[in-house]
Amino acid sequence: VAEAARDGLRLAEAIARGREVLGADEVLPGVADVVRQVEVEAVFADGTRLAVVPEPFGPAGGSVESPGAVLPAQPAAAAIDDTDQTHLTVVNESLVPISVTSHFHFFEVNPRLRFDRAAAWGTRLAIPAGSVQRFDPGVPTEVAVVPIGGDRVVIGFAGLVDGPLDAPGAREQALEQARGCGYLDASAAG
């Protein structure tokens, strides 16, 4: 899906391309029964879009009620530490709703979202893993963001960052690239 988006295909075409990658007979037994959809946040020519690929391996061969099927437990929602949150006001300046998933480096989200990008450096939305935040056109929305954890290495996403977030000059270089690509509110202040 991400490659199709980079190749200039539209959302529906990228989803169709994603369904062609693997068939049910090419994954481990039971995978097609439990993986009912795959969500991919991809960067298209007109911005970031959430591509939802239903039945990514084609129709499932059985059902989750069949004997021997693997039934995943519902994960407990992880608590988010309020002390590390930064609050931002985000306005969608495009004509269509924009959705952002929980894991996406918020600095690099859709260029038509207006907010203090410098303040969003190295953060993600403070929502449970796998969740999505929707931004309707023209509606100011308050969000909380939290620092990206782990080794703080960001690769992929919109291509503004490709490595360690805390490397000397990484933030300034990414802000300059964002300004050059027309990202809203990509000023150096923050």
Side-chain angles (χ1 to χ4, degrees):
V1 171
E3 289 175 5
R6 287 187 198 111
D7 289 343
L9 297 181
R10 299 182 60 85
L11 178 63
E13 297 166 321
I15 291 171
R17 178 88 51 93
R19 292 191 80 219
E20 298 171 354
V21 175
L22 291 172
D25 58 336
E26 298 174 293
V27 295
L28 292 171
V31 169
D33 291 321
V34 295
V35 179
R36 301 297 180 137
Q37 73 180 26
V38 172
E39 296 178 4
V40 179
E41 195 161 5
V43 181
F44 291 84
D46 60 346
T48 307
R49 299 271 190 263
L50 180 64
V52 179
V53 182
E55 295 185 333
F57 311 113
S63 77
V64 292
E65 290 83 21
S66 62
V70 177
L71 300 175
Q74 291 297 325
I80 296 175
D81 186 1
D82 289 349
T83 59
D84 288 339
Q85 290 185 1
T86 299
H87 294 272
L88 302 171
T89 301
V90 181
V91 179
N92 177 357
E93 300 285 347
S94 77
L95 299 176
V96 297
I98 296 172
S99 295
V100 178
T101 57
S102 58
H103 72 282
F104 206 90
H105 182 210
F106 204 70
F107 174 87
E108 297 184 76
V109 296
N110 194 301
R112 305 313 324 151
L113 291 179
R114 180 180 300 280
F115 60 93
D116 185 350
R117 288 195 188 262
W121 176 258
T123 66
R124 63 173 184 80
L125 285 170
I127 58 177
S131 299
V132 176
Q133 172 75 48
R134 178 183 165 125
F135 299 94
D136 290 319
V139 178
T141 305
E142 284 288 322
V143 298
V145 292
V146 293
I148 292 174
D151 291 336
R152 294 184 45 80
V153 174
V154 173
I155 297 173
F157 299 106
L160 297 177
V161 181
D162 193 20
L165 289 166
D166 302 321
R171 179 176 178 251
E172 292 74 20
Q173 182 180 359
L175 279 165
E176 183 177 327
Q177 186 175 353
R179 281 189 298 274
C181 292
Y183 278 69
L184 298 177
D185 282 355
S187 63

